[in-house]
Amino acid sequence: MIDRIRSASFLKIRVGQVALLIVATIGIGSLAGWSVYSSTPHQVEKLSILAESNDAASLAYSQRESFNLALIIEDWVRGEVVIRDVEISRALLGQRLQVKLVNGNPTYDAMTNSYKAKLEEIDKFIIANSTTPLSGRTSAFNKLRPNYDLFLTETRRMSKAIQEESLKQVNKVVQNRTRSEFYQSGILLITILAGLILLVWLVRDLAIAFRKAKFILQEEQLKLNSATQMLEISRAMDRFQSWITEMHLTALTSSDFANLFEKRLQKELSLAALRVSASGDSYKIEFPVDAGLEEIASKLVRARFADAIKQHQSRLRLFVEAEYRASHDFLTGFLNERGLSIALSNQAGTSEKMLAALFIDVDRFHRINDSMGFEFGDSVMTEIASRMNKLSSSEDLVARLNSDEFVFISPVANEAQARAKALALQSDMQFTTHHSDIELNLTFTIGLVVYAPAEFNPSELIHHGAIALNIANRQIRAGFAIYSEVQGQEYVESLAEEFAIRQALKLNEFELYFQPVIELSTNQVMGGEALIRWNRPGYGVLLPNEFLSKVSDHDLEIELGDWIIESALRFRANARLFQEELSLDSFRVGINVEASQIRRSDFADKLMESVQKLNVDATDVSIEITEHSLTDGDIALQQLRKLKASNFVIAIDDFGTGYSNLSQVNSLPISVLKIDRSFLIPGAGTSMDRQLILDIKQLADNLKLRVVAEGVESVEVEKFLVDSGITRVQGFLYSPPLPEVNFWGWVRDFKNSQSLHA
Amino acid sequence: MKRIIPVLLAVLLLSACGGAAQPKASPTPTASKNPYGSGFKVSPPADSDIVLTIKGASTINFTMKQLRDLGTSQITIQEPFVKAKQTFGVVNFKSLFDSLKIAQNASLNTVALNDYAFKATAKDFFNNQALLAVSLNNAPIPMDAGGPIRLVFNTSSKWFTNLDAWNWSLRSVEIA
């Protein structure tokens, strides 16, 4: 704005004004200069009037000297002065008559001819009477008398000439002064006029400039007000945009959004009558008639609103897409678990019908994926989804909960219909597919949960479904189970047990007990069999038959088995501390190994690594396996052979209770047969049992295997065994399984007691 | 008229005293061509004639010779009365008072033969470089040209234009 005022022409200095200023300045300068200049002429005039060089003064001095001359002549006549005084007086008059007047002529020229003539007569008189004595002076003077008187008369007349000359001089000065004053007055008048014109002109220009500046200021004020309003609107729209950007997006309709936008805009712009309407995905903003907004301001609001809406819609699209991605399975397009929960929550209470939730597990899908690749697995899953889609209706809800698990929710009339529908679906879903030359028959296991929507809880439903599916999965393939409260409870308890076992492993609640193995022929302790116990808080010490089945159920055999091996080997390593004291030439620890452990292809290697690490001799370790383990494929046999080759002792535990063919024992890599305790019940053993023991002994002898009898609990049995040639025994007759801390004390006591008997 | 009476008295005094400044026998004047009438030549005073008297606590008389002996210098100026270039032999007016030790603010009243007087302080006279002319164009100053002695000022003096100070035919200086 300042620039605009500066650039405006109203304050421009005009040529005319400059000219006037110059005229006035010159006028003032001239007057000042004139005054300074005039001071000298005035002084000259003054001097010329008063000084001797002045014509009138010259005349006056000449007149005076003339009178002096006349007087001194009379003095000479009377004899009062000499002639030289007269001559000097005449010379002094001559001085004055020589003085040049203003016109450059001597004063003498200004005298009248009569004066000049009479002065000449006087000169002659002086010259003629230079020697005249006093007596002759009067007569001489009388002759001069007429000229003398006329000389005095002319001298007196000089006063008039002086007066006239003075007047003339004064007149001249006055005339000069008048002319000067006239010129000065003229210049002063011109100066004043120029100054006045310039002043009026400048005042006029200033007045115009003021009006223009005022107008411009008013105009700029309006613009400023407008800009301020625009700025405020812009800020309000900034806040609106920020609000939209930070708005928590939910699945709202356009109309709902329009209402939100309207309320926010009303607040930000302080326009209560502002309206926002939605039409499809587009929004329209309307201002009240009396809003007081300029057109440009409303345009700004509309433009910024459009920007904000564009941004909002972009966010909304991303939100919807993210929501879809978060709630749907990318492969099948079905709802995922989160999507299912949301859908179920939305449906809660909207249906009065009973619902059947079929939790469908694709049998062996993990193995298919692992062995044939994920690409094939995905194609299989796509086919399954396609079939599921075909089998579903608009009332059904289908979701993929995880890689091989679906849920299919359908309204049913009752549980029977639900069961029928599940079985039908299970049947219809089955199909055969091929991978290379392999034919794959896809089957499905279904866990069914039937529930009333009123009692519905999505997470509970999924929980029940998982239980039902787990129960159904206990069947090998195409299992089916329907959820019930009892089964659910059992399942929960089972899970609790699994959790307790896992915790027991973490918290070292398991403990190994060792039952001594004794050689009766020498009364020497030859080793100990490691037997697991669980010091379960609140339950006491649990025996293996109280928890091993649960360990097996929850696939914890491997983990527990590894712990047993590690602990038993440590026991054996620690045994070295007691062997010398107790005179134990050899001491072997027996470790029970489950079939699942020995099926691992790295079992032998890991065991060998462990004995090396703990510096235990392999010959001091007896791996005790059941007959069942030997039937579990080639891998187990390979592992056993590897261990046998590494000098481990392999013992078949509970021999005689399984279905081993005695004739096959020869081909097995074993060294010890442990006769099951069931054959050695005191007093209950049948003749057949006795014969079987004898046969086993005979077989072992033939195969050069050692026989160990376990579960010896009576002297009678001991006598039978000894009589049968079986001298290596273990059992309660000697000692129950003991904790490690007690075991060596027992061995010491046993040794001491044997010494006493001896 | 006031100036005439002292002139007359002075003339009478000179006459009574035998006129030290006057020649004892005045030669017969001869007519000459002058710019102020026929006129005649007036002989200048002799070297021994007293031409200047300084009157103060004591009186000092100067003859023409004594004045010249003070040392003269030449100045050529445009004489303001006759408006003609003239060369004067001059004595520094201040040197007349060297022996008197007068104060700067002492008043000096210069008096001419016709009793014309001009009065100013010694300081003004000295500062304005008053000069006592004793010759004109290397000759005695004629009586009709302000002789025998007169006060002149060089063009560099402020009193060059103060014509009242140019006292002709100076006779005495009175110190007050």
Side-chain angles (χ1 to χ4, degrees):
Chain A
M1 182 179 72
I2 298 299
D3 289 342
R4 194 178 159 194
I5 291 172
R6 280 180 183 153
S7 63
S9 62
F10 52 81
L11 277 182
K12 190 176 176 183
I13 301 299
R14 298 162 200 284
V15 175
Q17 290 172 341
V18 173
L20 283 171
L21 182 64
I22 290 169
V23 168
T25 306
I26 290 172
I28 292 167
S30 300
L31 288 170
W34 199 307
S35 296
V36 173
Y37 173 75
S38 297
S39 63
T40 305
H42 289 169
Q43 188 66 19
V44 170
E45 286 164 3
K46 177 185 162 192
L47 291 172
S48 65
I49 291 170
L50 299 175
E52 293 184 20
S53 62
N54 177 268
D55 290 358
S58 294
L59 288 172
Y61 281 120
S62 297
Q63 186 187 38
R64 192 191 72 171
E65 295 302 333
S66 296
F67 280 129
N68 279 345
L69 177 61
L71 288 173
I72 209 159
I73 287 172
E74 287 184 21
D75 291 342
W76 173 76
V77 171
R78 285 189 300 271
E80 292 175 359
V81 298
V82 297
I83 193 66
R84 182 171 175 80
D85 295 326
V86 179
E87 291 169 359
I88 289 171
S89 182
R90 174 62 181 93
L92 294 178
L93 173 60
Q95 288 175 10
R96 284 299 166 186
L97 292 173
Q98 287 183 87
V99 172
K100 296 278 181 64
L101 298 176
V102 175
N103 61 11
N105 295 325
T107 307
Y108 180 75
D109 290 356
M111 299 301 170
T112 62
N113 289 332
S114 176
Y115 173 87
K116 290 175 185 171
K118 303 311 168 196
L119 180 60
E120 199 160 339
E121 289 301 321
I122 289 173
D123 285 346
K124 288 175 183 172
F125 171 79
I126 295 169
I127 293 167
N129 292 286
S130 59
T131 58
T132 303
L134 182 62
S135 58
R137 292 177 188 177
T138 302
S139 61
F141 179 69
N142 287 335
K143 291 177 185 173
L144 179 66
R145 189 78 192 196
N147 289 320
Y148 176 82
D149 290 340
L150 286 172
F151 176 75
L152 285 176
T153 303
E154 288 299 324
T155 299
R156 288 187 196 97
R157 284 180 182 169
M158 284 172 69
S159 297
K160 189 179 178 184
I162 293 166
Q163 193 176 10
E164 285 173 354
E165 186 60 34
S166 296
L167 187 61
K168 185 179 166 188
Q169 193 75 25
V170 169
N171 283 339
K172 187 181 175 186
V173 169
V174 169
Q175 193 178 6
N176 287 341
R177 291 290 298 159
T178 304
R179 188 164 50 245
S180 172
E181 295 294 336
F182 175 77
Y183 291 147
Q184 286 186 54
S185 299
I187 292 170
L188 182 62
L189 184 64
I190 291 168
T191 305
I192 290 170
L193 275 175
L196 279 173
I197 293 169
L198 182 61
L199 180 66
V200 170
W201 199 343
L202 286 174
V203 168
R204 177 181 163 274
D205 276 2
L206 281 172
I208 292 170
F210 176 75
R211 282 200 298 273
K212 279 188 179 177
K214 191 177 174 186
F215 175 75
I216 289 172
L217 283 172
Q218 286 172 343
E219 204 177 36
E220 294 297 333
Q221 183 64 46
L222 289 174
K223 285 181 184 174
L224 185 62
N225 291 342
S226 177
T228 304
Q229 187 186 38
M230 295 291 280
L231 185 63
E232 284 173 359
I233 287 172
S234 187
R235 283 178 181 161
M237 293 311 291
D238 283 346
R239 290 194 296 274
F240 177 71
Q241 191 149 10
S242 298
W243 171 77
I244 276 195
T245 305
E246 291 163 9
M247 177 194 278
H248 178 65
L249 290 175
T250 51
L252 294 178
T253 63
S254 298
S255 178
D256 292 336
F257 274 126
N259 284 334
L260 286 173
F261 297 159
E262 182 179 283
K263 283 176 186 169
R264 191 70 189 190
L265 276 176
Q266 285 174 351
K267 181 185 166 192
E268 295 294 352
L269 294 170
S270 302
L271 290 173
L274 180 145
R275 292 287 172 266
V276 175
S277 56
S279 173
D281 288 340
S282 62
Y283 297 87
K284 188 180 176 186
I285 185 166
E286 289 175 23
F287 297 102
V289 178
D290 57 348
L293 284 180
E294 292 178 14
E295 188 181 349
I296 188 169
S298 59
K299 276 185 181 175
L300 174 66
V301 173
R302 283 198 171 90
R304 294 294 305 274
F305 180 73
D307 287 347
I309 292 302
K310 195 175 174 185
Q311 188 180 354
H312 164 72
Q313 287 175 334
S314 176
R315 280 188 67 223
L316 198 60
R317 275 195 295 277
L318 290 172
F319 170 75
V320 169
E321 191 178 327
E323 278 291 296
Y324 181 84
R325 284 173 188 269
S327 59
H328 287 75
D329 173 50
F330 74 97
L331 182 64
T332 62
F334 289 159
L335 293 172
N336 59 18
E337 186 172 348
R338 179 174 175 274
L340 177 66
S341 293
I342 294 168
L344 291 175
S345 297
N346 292 339
Q347 282 184 354
T350 59
S351 174
E352 294 299 320
K353 289 184 178 178
M354 189 168 276
L355 294 174
L358 283 63
F359 290 81
I360 304 164
D361 189 29
V362 183
D363 293 334
R364 302 174 301 162
F365 184 70
H366 284 296
R367 289 186 68 182
I368 293 170
N369 243 355
D370 292 345
S371 56
M372 297 174 184
F374 288 101
E375 196 174 339
F376 180 73
D378 284 350
S379 71
V380 168
M381 201 50 67
T382 306
E383 174 62 24
I384 292 167
S386 172
R387 284 170 177 272
M388 232 174 242
N389 261 331
K390 285 176 186 168
L391 294 170
S392 66
S393 71
S394 60
E395 291 182 305
D396 299 336
L397 196 62
V398 185
R400 186 186 179 192
L401 296 185
N402 54 47
S403 66
D404 62 347
E405 191 176 335
F406 295 84
V407 65
F408 191 108
I409 297 174
S410 185
V412 291
N414 50 43
E415 187 175 315
Q417 191 186 16
R419 182 189 293 271
K421 189 159 192 167
L423 291 173
L425 187 73
Q426 189 178 39
S427 172
D428 294 342
M429 286 279 292
Q430 284 188 28
F431 65 97
T432 302
T433 186
H434 292 84
H435 181 266
S436 300
D437 293 332
I438 303 169
E439 182 179 282
L440 292 168
N441 187 26
L442 270 295
T443 59
F444 301 87
T445 295
I446 295 179
L448 172 63
V449 180
V450 182
Y451 63 100
E455 302 160 0
F456 168 70
N457 180 326
S459 59
E460 199 177 4
L461 170 65
I462 292 171
H463 177 212
H464 290 177
I467 292 171
L469 197 55
N470 264 290
I471 295 166
N473 266 326
R474 289 174 185 169
Q475 299 161 46
I476 295 172
R477 275 191 202 180
F480 175 79
I482 185 164
Y483 175 81
S484 69
E485 285 290 336
V486 174
Q487 283 175 319
Q489 188 59 36
E490 284 175 0
Y491 188 75
V492 170
E493 285 172 2
S494 170
L495 281 180
E497 284 300 308
E498 181 183 347
F499 178 75
I501 292 166
R502 289 187 188 280
Q503 282 293 97
L505 276 169
K506 281 185 187 174
L507 301 175
N508 285 322
E509 290 176 3
F510 288 109
E511 186 180 8
L512 282 186
Y513 279 46
F514 297 91
Q515 187 170 41
V517 177
I518 298 164
E519 177 54 49
L520 292 175
S521 60
T522 59
N523 285 324
Q524 284 275 334
V525 176
M526 302 305 295
E529 182 184 357
L531 295 165
I532 187 77
R533 296 290 186 270
W534 183 4
N535 290 320
R536 189 174 184 182
Y539 291 84
V541 178
L542 300 183
L543 295 173
N545 61 343
E546 293 175 285
F547 62 86
L548 277 186
S549 61
K550 294 169 188 171
V551 170
S552 174
D553 288 347
H554 301 302
D555 297 329
L556 293 169
E557 283 174 329
I558 302 295
E559 198 172 346
L560 184 60
D562 287 345
W563 181 87
I564 290 171
I565 290 171
E566 183 79 11
S567 302
L569 290 177
R570 278 188 198 286
F571 169 77
R572 179 59 193 87
N574 292 338
R576 283 196 294 269
L577 301 172
F578 301 97
Q579 272 183 276
E580 188 176 352
E581 179 204 346
L582 300 172
S583 304
L584 299 175
D585 295 336
S586 66
F587 186 85
R588 183 175 295 147
V589 64
I591 304 170
N592 290 290
V593 174
E594 294 298 325
S596 57
Q597 287 178 272
I598 211 165
R599 275 201 297 269
R600 289 156 59 196
S601 56
D602 61 345
F603 175 74
D605 292 337
K606 280 195 169 182
L607 186 57
M608 285 188 283
E609 191 180 319
S610 295
V611 295
Q612 275 183 352
K613 187 175 76 178
L614 294 169
N615 198 22
V616 174
D617 195 341
T619 55
D620 292 335
V621 180
S622 171
I623 300 299
E624 298 184 10
I625 56 173
T626 60
E627 289 176 80
H628 175 69
S629 303
L630 295 171
T631 63
D632 215 30
D634 293 339
I635 295 175
L637 211 51
Q638 281 173 6
Q639 296 300 309
L640 290 176
R641 285 192 176 121
K642 206 169 182 177
L643 290 174
K644 181 78 182 335
S646 299
N647 296 323
F648 284 92
V649 175
I650 309 297
I652 293 182
D653 203 8
D654 303 335
F655 189 77
T657 58
Y659 38 84
S660 305
N661 187 336
L662 288 179
S663 60
Q664 290 180 336
V665 170
N666 187 34
S667 62
L668 298 175
I670 57 175
S671 306
V672 177
L673 295 177
K674 294 187 80 170
I675 299 171
D676 185 66
R677 61 191 301 159
S678 61
F679 296 112
L680 302 173
I681 296 170
T686 62
S687 56
M688 191 175 288
D689 291 337
R690 289 172 183 269
Q691 185 56 53
L692 182 59
I693 290 168
L694 289 174
D695 289 345
I696 290 170
K697 174 58 179 164
Q698 184 63 47
L699 175 67
D701 289 344
N702 291 339
L703 297 175
K704 297 182 179 175
L705 303 177
R706 181 172 294 281
V707 175
V708 178
E710 52 186 359
V712 179
E713 295 180 356
S714 66
V715 176
E716 181 190 352
V717 171
E718 179 188 40
K719 186 175 182 305
F720 168 72
L721 291 172
V722 171
D723 291 344
S724 303
I726 299 171
T727 56
R728 192 152 296 187
V729 294
Q730 64 182 87
F732 277 75
L733 179 62
Y734 312 104
S735 170
L738 296 168
E740 184 177 359
V741 292
N742 298 333
F743 182 82
W744 297 109
W746 179 87
V747 173
R748 190 175 291 108
D749 292 344
F750 179 76
K751 184 173 181 297
N752 291 336
S753 67
Q754 293 307 313
S755 299
L756 289 174
H757 287 305
Chain B
M1 285 302 290
K2 285 180 181 177
R3 293 184 69 182
I4 292 170
I5 295 166
V7 169
L8 290 173
L9 287 172
V11 169
L12 289 172
L13 183 63
L14 285 170
S15 302
C17 293
Q22 303 293 324
K24 288 189 168 60
S26 178
T28 301
T30 55
S32 63
K33 182 65 178 173
N34 282 316
Y36 51 86
S38 57
F40 45 82
K41 186 176 175 66
V42 178
S43 57
D47 284 351
S48 59
D49 290 343
I50 293 171
V51 293
L52 179 65
T53 300
I54 295 178
K55 300 171 183 173
S58 59
T59 298
I60 302 172
N61 293 317
F62 288 94
T63 64
M64 184 59 79
K65 183 175 182 302
Q66 284 175 325
L67 289 174
R68 280 200 299 272
D69 289 345
L70 290 174
T72 61
S73 58
Q74 299 276 316
I75 64 164
T76 300
I77 57 172
Q78 180 75 10
E79 209 280 345
F81 295 96
V82 297
K83 296 182 174 55
K85 190 164 280 187
Q86 296 180 331
T87 299
F88 291 96
V90 298
V91 173
N92 192 350
F93 186 64
K94 189 182 177 188
S95 64
L96 302 176
F97 304 90
D98 286 347
S99 60
L100 295 175
K101 309 290 183 191
I102 61 170
Q104 288 283 306
N105 58 355
S107 174
L108 302 181
N109 190 23
T110 57
V111 182
L113 288 174
N114 61 357
D115 293 330
Y116 172 79
F118 176 78
K119 189 176 182 180
T121 62
K123 182 182 176 185
D124 285 342
F125 276 103
F126 301 157
N127 287 347
N128 287 292
Q129 300 159 356
L131 300 170
L132 183 68
V134 296
S135 67
L136 174 63
N137 299 329
N138 294 318
I141 303 170
M143 292 301 287
D144 58 2
I149 55 173
R150 60 181 289 192
L151 283 174
V152 298
F153 297 90
N154 209 340
T155 49
S156 58
S157 171
K158 284 184 180 176
W159 278 6
F160 180 78
T161 55
N162 185 6
L163 300 184
D164 289 344
W166 292 63
N167 210 336
W168 297 345
S169 300
L170 185 67
R171 187 185 69 204
S172 65
V173 179
E174 296 166 357
I175 302 169

